Amino acid sequence: MAGVQSVFKWLVKYVLAWLLAPFYMLSATFVFILSVIRSPVATLSYRVRDSPPAVLQNAELGTHEYVRVGTSNIRLHYVASGDRDKPLMVCLHGFPEFWYSWRHQLKAFSKDYWVVAVDMRGFGDSDKPPAAGEYKIDKMAGDIVDLIEALGHRSCTLVGNDGGAIMAAWVAMERPDLVKKLVLMNGPVSLSAVRQYTKSHPKQLLKFWYGFFFKLSYLPEMCLGFNDLKSLDVLLRGKKMGCRREDAITDEDLEAYKYALSQPGALTAVVNFYRASGSKDRTFLLTLVKNWLSGQQPPAEPITAISCPSLLIWGDQDGVLDTDLARAMAESVQGMKLEIIEGASHFVQQDFPDTVNRLMTDFFKEL
């Protein structure tokens, strides 16, 4: 009986999480519509930045390059720093960022590596295919496989934050020959690992309410762009998600992000990753309920098949991803080292760059 009651309580929490997440989405929609009614011109307008700000042209960060990759012929933009003959380090950003999120690492590691910070498809100055299906994980991560090969290196150290962590881990699993060392930061090792965690942590599912919101058409782009991309200030410097260090994101940095996101097609492209992913999420709850009613237990997730030395760096003030999720993911990867930075946000490599760089350096020395 106690077991039945426990399962029932868990099911109630899970159903509530699924009901409340769309409610949060509707609340955000209502607030946006209200702001349109009050001040339509300010809310619905933003200006396209015609030229990049000076910080994006800083020669100390590296040189700007372009390469077309794979059968898709996608043109990727990247910034490279260091000697091309040294070991390759590829850095993959998350949402709603671009190569500039790795500015501190471009400087710190260019002495020992050829550091390449890439704009993934849809972001920054890389190509932005209009169809949502072009942003599935296998396609975006496939670009990185093609990029590594196009750069003339047989393997690399692969680094990723947020959505970039998903891509980096995918490459490490699908093409282990290309990844010698893997560093992930505040991002999923895999979507299946996140689903496994949310089975027993409905509050984590509730934090993913924005996933419902981004599945909508047009409205997410409007919300991201309103009031001249005010959303970027909220995301990068706000109390919930933003960097905790006061000068982590300067006004000049914020303008760089606004430049990237104001370009034609950029708003739709950065949302399309969410539209392209998560097809399993729509049937996740129904499958669990079906298994419960039939008395079947859902199969346990296999240990994530990452074979190279790996490090997970985690800011414990992440407004979306639980720190316990980081612990669970680290346990799912054999030999993965977990380093938690107290007081750091989701954008950990920008929030506490010196600490992140030290942890990376120490990790590399251990190998």
Side-chain angles (χ1 to χ4, degrees):
M1 181 62 69
V4 173
Q5 290 177 345
S6 177
V7 171
F8 180 75
K9 289 180 180 179
W10 170 86
L11 187 60
V12 169
K13 290 180 180 179
Y14 212 99
V15 170
L16 285 175
W18 270 80
L19 292 175
L20 285 173
F23 174 75
Y24 280 8
M25 176 197 74
L26 293 174
S27 298
T29 304
F30 176 76
V31 170
F32 173 72
I33 293 174
L34 190 62
S35 67
V36 172
I37 295 173
R38 289 177 175 174
S39 183
V41 176
T43 302
L44 296 176
S45 63
Y46 69 94
R47 62 184 178 89
V48 175
R49 275 74 174 168
D50 294 324
S51 57
V55 292
L56 295 183
Q57 300 299 313
N58 184 356
E60 293 182 359
L61 297 180
T63 59
H64 294 256
E65 306 287 347
Y66 296 86
V67 61
R68 291 195 177 274
V69 298
T71 56
S72 64
N73 206 33
I74 287 284
R75 190 184 78 155
L76 297 180
H77 166 258
Y78 64 88
V79 171
S81 182
D83 189 339
R84 182 183 289 264
D85 293 330
K86 291 183 178 179
L88 175 64
M89 176 185 292
V90 177
C91 301
L92 308 179
H93 61 80
F95 170 91
E97 302 174 280
F98 64 122
W99 72 266
Y100 189 67
S101 67
W102 300 106
R103 58 195 177 278
H104 303 292
Q105 288 68 43
L106 281 163
K107 289 183 178 180
F109 292 100
S110 60
K111 180 180 178 181
D112 299 314
Y113 292 86
W114 184 38
V115 187
V116 171
V118 60
D119 288 334
M120 293 191 294
R121 72 162 67 187
F123 294 80
D125 205 22
S126 290
D127 282 352
K128 301 171 177 59
E134 292 298 311
Y135 296 85
K136 292 182 178 180
I137 292 176
D138 58 342
K139 291 188 176 183
M140 294 185 70
D143 290 343
I144 307 307
V145 170
D146 294 333
L147 172 67
I148 296 169
E149 295 175 342
L151 293 176
H153 282 249
R154 294 183 177 180
S155 62
C156 72
T157 293
L158 197 52
V159 184
N161 169 250
D162 186 69
I166 299 177
M167 306 305 166
W170 187 97
V171 175
M173 287 185 280
E174 298 296 325
R175 287 295 305 274
D177 58 304
L178 292 179
V179 185
K180 294 182 66 175
K181 293 165 284 190
L182 179 68
V183 180
L184 308 179
M185 305 178 192
N186 283 80
V189 171
S190 67
L191 294 183
S192 63
V194 175
R195 295 187 188 100
Q196 179 74 7
Y197 178 80
T198 56
K199 289 177 182 179
S200 55
H201 297 82
K203 287 184 179 180
Q204 178 62 77
L205 178 64
L206 186 57
K207 292 180 179 180
F208 289 148
W209 67 269
Y210 60 89
F212 292 85
F213 181 64
F214 284 150
K215 292 295 193 298
L216 300 177
S217 300
Y218 307 114
L219 190 60
E221 290 93 324
M222 294 172 66
C223 287
L224 285 174
F226 87 98
N227 198 13
D228 196 28
L229 297 163
K230 178 67 175 178
S231 58
L232 283 174
D233 198 0
V234 174
L235 283 169
L236 296 171
R237 303 199 293 195
K239 291 182 179 180
K240 181 178 181 180
M241 279 294 295
C243 292
R244 297 300 188 262
R245 189 167 56 85
E246 185 175 353
D247 59 345
I249 304 292
T250 66
D251 290 343
E252 291 79 9
D253 296 334
L254 186 63
E255 185 59 29
Y257 278 100
K258 287 187 175 183
Y259 165 78
L261 205 55
S262 73
Q263 300 310 301
L267 286 171
T268 295
V270 300
V271 175
N272 273 341
F273 169 74
Y274 292 95
R275 291 181 176 137
S277 65
S279 60
K280 292 183 180 180
D281 295 334
R282 289 189 286 270
T283 59
F284 184 44
L285 176 61
L286 293 177
T287 301
L288 291 176
V289 173
K290 180 181 178 181
N291 289 338
W292 177 67
L293 291 175
S294 64
Q296 299 177 359
Q297 295 296 323
E301 295 285 340
I303 293 177
T304 306
I306 294 175
S307 57
C308 65
S310 57
L311 169 66
L312 179 60
I313 298 175
W314 203 267
D316 71 348
Q317 297 302 304
D318 194 312
V320 171
L321 301 174
D322 293 346
T323 301
D324 282 343
L325 170 61
R327 296 187 178 97
M329 290 191 301
E331 291 176 359
S332 75
V333 179
Q334 187 173 3
M336 173 171 274
K337 184 177 182 180
L338 173 64
E339 295 283 0
I340 297 174
I341 302 178
E342 295 183 1
S345 69
H346 178 79
F347 306 102
V348 63
Q349 81 275 25
Q350 301 178 80
D351 206 354
F352 286 74
D354 292 341
T355 304
V356 166
N357 295 344
R358 176 179 57 78
L359 291 173
M360 290 175 63
T361 301
D362 292 345
F363 173 65
F364 298 152
K365 288 180 179 178
E366 293 172 0
L367 303 179

Short mmCIF file of all heavy atoms in Angstrom, two decimals, residues 294-315:
data_model
loop_
_atom_site.label_atom_id
_atom_site.label_comp_id
_atom_site.label_asym_id
_atom_site.label_seq_id
_atom_site.Cartn_x
_atom_site.Cartn_y
_atom_site.Cartn_z
N SER A 294 -0.14 -0.47 -16.22
CA SER A 294 0.03 -1.87 -16.61
C SER A 294 0.95 -2.62 -15.64
O SER A 294 1.13 -3.82 -15.79
CB SER A 294 0.62 -1.94 -18.02
OG SER A 294 1.91 -1.37 -18.05
N GLY A 295 1.52 -1.89 -14.69
CA GLY A 295 2.41 -2.52 -13.74
C GLY A 295 3.82 -2.70 -14.25
O GLY A 295 4.65 -3.32 -13.58
N GLN A 296 4.12 -2.15 -15.41
CA GLN A 296 5.46 -2.27 -15.98
C GLN A 296 6.33 -1.12 -15.49
O GLN A 296 5.88 0.00 -15.33
CB GLN A 296 5.41 -2.25 -17.51
CG GLN A 296 4.60 -3.39 -18.11
CD GLN A 296 4.54 -3.27 -19.62
OE1 GLN A 296 5.07 -2.36 -20.20
NE2 GLN A 296 3.87 -4.23 -20.24
N GLN A 297 7.59 -1.42 -15.29
CA GLN A 297 8.55 -0.39 -14.92
C GLN A 297 9.25 0.12 -16.17
O GLN A 297 9.64 -0.67 -17.03
CB GLN A 297 9.58 -0.95 -13.93
CG GLN A 297 8.99 -1.35 -12.60
CD GLN A 297 8.43 -0.15 -11.85
OE1 GLN A 297 8.98 0.94 -11.90
NE2 GLN A 297 7.32 -0.36 -11.17
N PRO A 298 9.40 1.43 -16.30
CA PRO A 298 10.13 1.94 -17.46
C PRO A 298 11.56 1.46 -17.45
O PRO A 298 12.18 1.34 -16.38
CB PRO A 298 10.07 3.47 -17.28
CG PRO A 298 9.84 3.67 -15.82
CD PRO A 298 9.01 2.49 -15.37
N PRO A 299 12.10 1.13 -18.61
CA PRO A 299 13.48 0.63 -18.65
C PRO A 299 14.46 1.68 -18.16
O PRO A 299 14.29 2.87 -18.41
CB PRO A 299 13.69 0.33 -20.15
CG PRO A 299 12.70 1.21 -20.86
CD PRO A 299 11.51 1.29 -19.95
N ALA A 300 15.47 1.24 -17.46
CA ALA A 300 16.49 2.17 -16.97
C ALA A 300 17.32 2.68 -18.14
O ALA A 300 17.56 1.96 -19.12
CB ALA A 300 17.39 1.47 -15.97
N GLU A 301 17.71 3.94 -18.05
CA GLU A 301 18.54 4.52 -19.08
C GLU A 301 19.95 3.92 -19.01
O GLU A 301 20.49 3.73 -17.92
CB GLU A 301 18.62 6.04 -18.91
CG GLU A 301 17.28 6.74 -19.11
CD GLU A 301 16.89 6.83 -20.57
OE1 GLU A 301 17.78 6.70 -21.43
OE2 GLU A 301 15.69 7.01 -20.85
N PRO A 302 20.53 3.62 -20.15
CA PRO A 302 21.91 3.08 -20.12
C PRO A 302 22.90 4.17 -19.71
O PRO A 302 22.63 5.35 -19.81
CB PRO A 302 22.12 2.66 -21.58
CG PRO A 302 21.21 3.57 -22.37
CD PRO A 302 20.00 3.77 -21.50
N ILE A 303 24.05 3.75 -19.24
CA ILE A 303 25.11 4.71 -18.92
C ILE A 303 25.53 5.41 -20.21
O ILE A 303 25.71 4.78 -21.25
CB ILE A 303 26.31 4.00 -18.28
CG1 ILE A 303 25.92 3.45 -16.90
CG2 ILE A 303 27.51 4.94 -18.16
CD1 ILE A 303 27.01 2.68 -16.22
N THR A 304 25.60 6.73 -20.13
CA THR A 304 25.95 7.51 -21.31
C THR A 304 27.31 7.08 -21.84
O THR A 304 28.30 7.05 -21.10
CB THR A 304 25.97 9.01 -20.97
OG1 THR A 304 24.70 9.36 -20.39
CG2 THR A 304 26.19 9.85 -22.21
N ALA A 305 27.35 6.77 -23.12
CA ALA A 305 28.53 6.14 -23.72
C ALA A 305 29.57 7.18 -24.15
O ALA A 305 29.82 7.38 -25.34
CB ALA A 305 28.11 5.29 -24.91
N ILE A 306 30.16 7.85 -23.19
CA ILE A 306 31.27 8.76 -23.45
C ILE A 306 32.54 8.09 -22.93
O ILE A 306 32.65 7.81 -21.74
CB ILE A 306 31.05 10.11 -22.76
CG1 ILE A 306 29.84 10.83 -23.38
CG2 ILE A 306 32.30 10.99 -22.87
CD1 ILE A 306 29.48 12.12 -22.70
N SER A 307 33.47 7.84 -23.84
CA SER A 307 34.65 7.05 -23.46
C SER A 307 35.88 7.90 -23.19
O SER A 307 36.83 7.42 -22.55
CB SER A 307 34.97 6.05 -24.57
OG SER A 307 35.16 6.71 -25.81
N CYS A 308 35.89 9.15 -23.64
CA CYS A 308 37.08 9.99 -23.44
C CYS A 308 37.05 10.62 -22.05
O CYS A 308 36.01 10.68 -21.40
CB CYS A 308 37.13 11.09 -24.50
SG CYS A 308 35.78 12.28 -24.39
N PRO A 309 38.20 11.09 -21.55
CA PRO A 309 38.21 11.82 -20.27
C PRO A 309 37.27 13.02 -20.34
O PRO A 309 37.28 13.77 -21.33
CB PRO A 309 39.67 12.26 -20.14
CG PRO A 309 40.44 11.29 -20.95
CD PRO A 309 39.56 10.94 -22.11
N SER A 310 36.43 13.19 -19.31
CA SER A 310 35.40 14.22 -19.39
C SER A 310 35.28 14.97 -18.07
O SER A 310 35.49 14.42 -16.98
CB SER A 310 34.05 13.61 -19.77
OG SER A 310 33.67 12.61 -18.85
N LEU A 311 34.92 16.24 -18.19
CA LEU A 311 34.77 17.14 -17.05
C LEU A 311 33.45 17.89 -17.20
O LEU A 311 33.14 18.41 -18.28
CB LEU A 311 35.93 18.14 -17.00
CG LEU A 311 35.81 19.32 -16.02
CD1 LEU A 311 35.82 18.83 -14.58
CD2 LEU A 311 36.94 20.32 -16.27
N LEU A 312 32.68 17.94 -16.12
CA LEU A 312 31.44 18.71 -16.09
C LEU A 312 31.61 19.84 -15.08
O LEU A 312 31.79 19.59 -13.88
CB LEU A 312 30.26 17.81 -15.70
CG LEU A 312 28.88 18.50 -15.60
CD1 LEU A 312 28.48 19.13 -16.93
CD2 LEU A 312 27.82 17.49 -15.14
N ILE A 313 31.56 21.08 -15.57
CA ILE A 313 31.66 22.26 -14.72
C ILE A 313 30.26 22.85 -14.56
O ILE A 313 29.54 23.02 -15.55
CB ILE A 313 32.63 23.30 -15.31
CG1 ILE A 313 34.04 22.72 -15.41
CG2 ILE A 313 32.63 24.58 -14.49
CD1 ILE A 313 35.04 23.63 -16.11
N TRP A 314 29.89 23.18 -13.32
CA TRP A 314 28.50 23.56 -13.07
C TRP A 314 28.41 24.76 -12.12
O TRP A 314 28.94 24.73 -11.01
CB TRP A 314 27.77 22.38 -12.44
CG TRP A 314 26.28 22.42 -12.63
CD1 TRP A 314 25.35 22.97 -11.78
CD2 TRP A 314 25.55 21.91 -13.75
NE1 TRP A 314 24.09 22.82 -12.30
CE2 TRP A 314 24.17 22.17 -13.51
CE3 TRP A 314 25.90 21.26 -14.92
CZ2 TRP A 314 23.17 21.80 -14.40
CZ3 TRP A 314 24.92 20.89 -15.81
CH2 TRP A 314 23.57 21.15 -15.55
N GLY A 315 27.73 25.81 -12.58
CA GLY A 315 27.40 26.93 -11.71
C GLY A 315 26.14 26.60 -10.93
O GLY A 315 25.10 26.28 -11.52
#
